[in-house]
Amino acid sequence: MESLQETLRDAQLAVDAEFLPLLTAKLYEYRGQFQNAEDVYLSLYADRSGEVGVDRRLAEFYLLWGRLDATKTANAFSYINRILREAYEGRAAMSDPQVVWARDRAARHLGSTRDYRQSVKAQLLLLSGEEDGKLTVAHRVLLGEILTSMRDPKSQLKAIRIFEDLNQQGQLQKKHILLLAQLLNRTGDSKGCESLLTDALPTYRNDPELWSAYINFLIDRGEYGKASSRLNRYEELKPDKMAYINLRARLASEKGDKDQLRSLLKSLTPPSKGGLDAKQLQQVYGIAQLAARYKDFELAEQLLRFYAKRIPASIGALANFLA
């Protein structure tokens, strides 16, 4: 009995020996005193090199610090690479949760660079984690995102196959349904794009983002009457005001109805007489940008001159436009 109690006491002391420093480090993190937190972590884990759980904890700490100081991100990935090395050299299982986490973080980082070679590395990294020839749903989605970013036709088609397969299994979220719609439209499969969006609308019937994607698709197809009627439904959903205005302006522009476009943009412009507050002036600038985007350059220039007169610091925007 005494031996058991002694063992329990030793175990409790060991827990306390790690818990209290960790609590201190977390307090430093909460206060934004990352240098102090780093000192605690490095002292606590000085003799535990090669433990993937420790390496993950340090990597997560440096990723958090990296949000405020980008130079610390490199420290995080040095620990992530340590975890991956442990797996590649056989000291940790590929299925170990810490290894899976490190592989995910590294692949996301490589894929986010938008560099083709780095994206290829990200693919290989993800595929190295296959179990029985399969990836998890989360990693299949990530692989699809990386392939989409590569922009070459072969990668785009691979991404489409991944997302279509996930969609058929009911495992594709709205964000990726919209991404798949863009891919299908971009690769010329307008029927597939329309089918995907119309199938999704009953599920997301009150979602402005999905309706916006569908209306943009109809405008791309030149189905202006249908787009106009869907715009009425879109307005009922009370979407972001500028998103709604942008869709209406795009429809008028694509139809070639310059009068309607001019009338729409002018109706949105605050009255020029009297003083305008900062919000109204920002609205003027936003309408000027829309006018320029949809090639009503005369109105764009008028609004930018009006804006620059009241905010002299913005003269550069007018100069760039006139150039």
Side-chain angles (χ1 to χ4, degrees):
M1 179 64 73
E2 287 184 12
S3 176
L4 176 59
Q5 289 177 338
E6 186 176 330
T7 300
L8 289 173
R9 278 198 302 270
D10 289 343
Q12 183 62 49
L13 287 171
V15 169
D16 289 345
E18 181 171 351
F19 176 74
L20 292 176
L22 282 177
L23 187 61
T24 303
K26 285 295 178 185
L27 181 60
Y28 282 136
E29 285 182 33
Y30 178 76
R31 292 174 175 173
Q33 296 172 309
F34 288 98
Q35 187 64 64
N36 290 341
E38 180 185 42
D39 292 341
V40 174
Y41 282 130
L42 294 182
S43 174
L44 178 64
Y45 296 133
D47 59 350
R48 294 176 64 180
S49 177
E51 292 186 31
V52 291
V54 168
D55 287 339
R56 173 174 176 175
R57 182 168 289 169
L58 288 167
E60 289 177 325
F61 165 69
Y62 283 114
L63 286 172
L64 178 64
W65 194 358
R67 295 177 187 174
L68 299 176
D69 180 355
T71 63
K72 300 302 176 183
T73 303
N75 297 50
F77 281 97
S78 71
Y79 286 102
I80 289 170
N81 288 335
R82 283 192 195 184
I83 298 171
L84 294 174
R85 192 179 305 116
E86 290 294 309
Y88 295 145
E89 294 178 0
R91 291 186 292 275
M94 284 292 187
S95 59
D96 185 299
Q98 318 305 341
V99 176
V100 173
W101 175 86
R103 189 163 52 239
D104 179 271
R105 294 298 312 204
R108 288 182 188 279
H109 176 68
L110 291 169
S112 70
T113 63
R114 304 291 176 177
D115 177 83
Y116 190 88
R117 290 183 180 179
Q118 297 290 77
S119 294
V120 170
K121 289 180 183 178
Q123 287 183 65
L124 295 174
L125 190 58
L126 284 175
L127 293 172
S128 72
E130 284 184 328
E131 292 187 20
D132 299 324
K134 293 181 180 180
L135 290 173
T136 64
V137 170
H139 282 169
R140 287 164 71 192
V141 168
L142 177 55
L143 181 58
E145 290 176 342
I146 292 168
L147 288 164
T148 300
S149 72
M150 294 174 72
R151 306 292 287 188
D152 64 285
K154 188 175 180 180
S155 296
Q156 303 278 283
L157 291 174
K158 285 182 181 178
I160 287 172
R161 285 197 292 271
I162 289 171
F163 287 138
E164 285 186 330
D165 184 45
L166 288 168
N167 193 44
Q168 288 172 4
Q169 296 170 22
Q171 294 177 317
L172 208 58
Q173 301 299 313
K174 183 191 74 174
K175 172 185 173 182
H176 296 99
I177 289 174
L178 293 171
L179 183 56
L180 175 56
Q182 291 174 10
L183 281 166
L184 292 168
N185 204 25
R186 189 187 302 159
T187 54
D189 187 357
S190 60
K191 286 186 178 179
C193 180
E194 182 171 28
S195 177
L196 175 70
L197 291 172
T198 53
D199 285 349
L201 279 172
T203 303
Y204 299 98
R205 60 174 59 87
N206 295 320
D207 188 288
E209 193 176 10
L210 200 83
W211 277 96
S212 175
Y214 183 47
I215 292 164
N216 272 310
F217 165 76
L218 292 172
I219 295 172
D220 288 340
R221 281 264 296 262
E223 297 185 42
Y224 302 133
K226 203 170 180 180
S228 182
S229 73
R230 299 303 183 274
L231 259 171
N232 294 332
R233 165 64 178 141
Y234 179 68
E235 186 180 15
E236 292 172 4
L237 301 176
K238 301 187 186 308
D240 174 76
K241 183 178 180 181
M242 287 306 295
Y244 172 67
I245 291 167
N246 185 54
L247 271 178
R248 284 190 60 192
R250 181 173 183 235
L251 178 58
S253 176
E254 293 293 327
K255 286 166 59 180
D257 193 335
K258 294 181 180 180
D259 291 338
Q260 185 182 18
L261 177 63
R262 172 69 65 89
S263 176
L264 169 65
L265 295 176
K266 277 195 165 185
S267 71
L268 299 166
T269 307
S272 58
K273 291 182 180 180
L276 299 183
D277 59 28
K279 185 176 180 180
Q280 289 174 312
L281 285 170
Q282 196 58 39
Q283 186 178 341
V284 169
Y285 183 68
I287 300 302
Q289 289 180 308
L290 275 180
R293 182 184 306 165
Y294 296 120
K295 298 182 172 56
D296 189 340
F297 299 119
E298 181 182 350
L299 179 60
E301 181 178 348
Q302 289 175 8
L303 295 175
L304 284 173
R305 286 187 182 279
F306 176 87
Y307 184 72
K309 187 175 180 179
R310 284 153 182 79
I311 304 183
S314 69
I315 192 69
L318 175 60
N320 289 335
F321 173 78
L322 294 174

